[in-house]
Amino acid sequence: MISRYWTVLALLVGWQLFSSLSGLNRIVVPGPAGVFGDIATNIGVYLPDLAWTLGMAAGGLAVGMALGTALAVAVWSSRVVSGMMTPVALIMRSVPVVAMIPVLARVFGYGWTTVLVITSVVSFFPAFVLVGARLRDAPPATSDLMAVLGANRRTLLRRLLLPHAVPGLLVALRLTASSAVLAAMLAEYLMGGRGLGALFAQSVSFHQVDRAWGTALVATAVSVACFVAARAVERRGIARFT
């Protein structure tokens, strides 16, 4: 924990030294004092957009992971569904998010719905892959025992496979918690409206350099916090289900 504080302090000192000694105008690289000062004195400007972005990220994360889990179960249940949906999921994963946003915006509109869809798409694939892998990798001895006891596929899924897949779902949560925040912010930046992404775009447009850097700093801190929280949830969940 102490080493983390020293790392943050070293980054701040390096930032200050670079902004002071590089010769670049503060419009390009403002100092940390001005950025933190803007955050502290204008916290009421940041909080509503931060809450909006976090809400979009949390909603999209929940929807995406639920859809990924449901599709993983469907693929496990049916070879037909597996043959149909697995290539579609791979294609969705291979398309960059920034390329999806204009297309989805034309379909769903330039509002919160598209932001939610984007974060859902980002959160979908890790849950689909990791839950599906755990469903296919159940302990053979336990599966054989349940088969001997006469358990049908539904009972096998409910009593053995889904609990066995929980660690995979928790790993997916850790991998996508911070990405969902950044995906929501990217969608807001490109489409406008509300959120940290829109605040960043407005700050850049009006040459509010301290606020633009402050928005980026807040988004980074929140993404790291989401990752740490998700990792803590993962550790507790894996300790319980393994």
Side-chain angles (χ1 to χ4, degrees):
M1 183 65 69
I2 296 177
S3 62
R4 296 175 184 175
Y5 291 134
W6 280 108
T7 300
V8 173
L9 181 61
L11 290 174
L12 292 176
V13 171
W15 178 6
Q16 180 62 56
L17 290 175
F18 181 76
S19 64
S20 301
L21 302 177
S22 64
L24 296 174
N25 193 292
R26 71 173 305 276
I27 296 178
V28 180
V29 184
V35 174
F36 282 102
D38 186 78
I39 296 174
T41 57
N42 298 284
I43 191 67
V45 176
Y46 290 90
L47 285 180
D49 289 312
L50 172 60
W52 181 265
T53 298
L54 282 177
M56 291 292 101
L61 182 65
V63 172
M65 294 189 69
L67 290 176
T69 301
L71 187 58
V73 172
V75 166
W76 172 83
S77 303
S78 171
R79 291 185 179 180
V80 175
V81 176
S82 176
M84 293 174 56
M85 298 307 301
T86 301
V88 175
L90 291 173
I91 292 173
M92 290 176 60
R93 179 60 178 174
S94 64
V95 177
V97 175
V98 70
M100 292 185 186
I101 294 175
V103 178
L104 294 176
R106 294 297 298 270
V107 176
F108 297 101
Y110 291 82
W112 65 269
T113 305
T114 302
V115 179
L116 191 64
V117 171
I118 289 295
T119 54
S120 299
V121 170
V122 170
S123 307
F124 161 82
F125 192 76
F128 171 70
V129 171
L130 294 173
V131 171
R134 296 286 294 186
L135 291 176
R136 294 188 299 270
D137 191 32
T142 309
S143 300
D144 294 340
L145 175 61
M146 294 193 70
V148 170
L149 295 176
N152 56 30
R153 286 175 64 84
R154 181 176 298 180
T155 303
L156 178 67
L157 177 66
R158 185 176 71 254
R159 296 294 180 87
L160 174 63
L161 297 184
L162 287 180
H164 182 70
V166 169
L169 185 65
L170 294 175
V171 173
L173 174 65
R174 171 173 56 84
L175 293 175
T176 56
S178 58
S179 301
V181 175
L182 298 179
M185 187 176 175
L186 177 61
E188 293 161 354
Y189 173 78
L190 294 178
M191 296 191 305
R194 301 173 61 182
L196 288 177
L199 179 62
F200 180 80
Q202 293 168 7
S203 302
V204 172
S205 299
F206 290 102
H207 301 288
Q208 297 173 321
V209 182
D210 290 336
R211 185 153 304 168
W213 278 68
T215 304
L217 183 63
V218 169
T220 302
V222 169
S223 297
V224 172
C226 290
F227 174 82
V228 172
R231 185 174 62 178
V233 172
E234 176 198 5
R235 287 177 176 175
R236 291 189 178 185
I238 290 179
R240 179 176 180 180
F241 286 92
T242 56

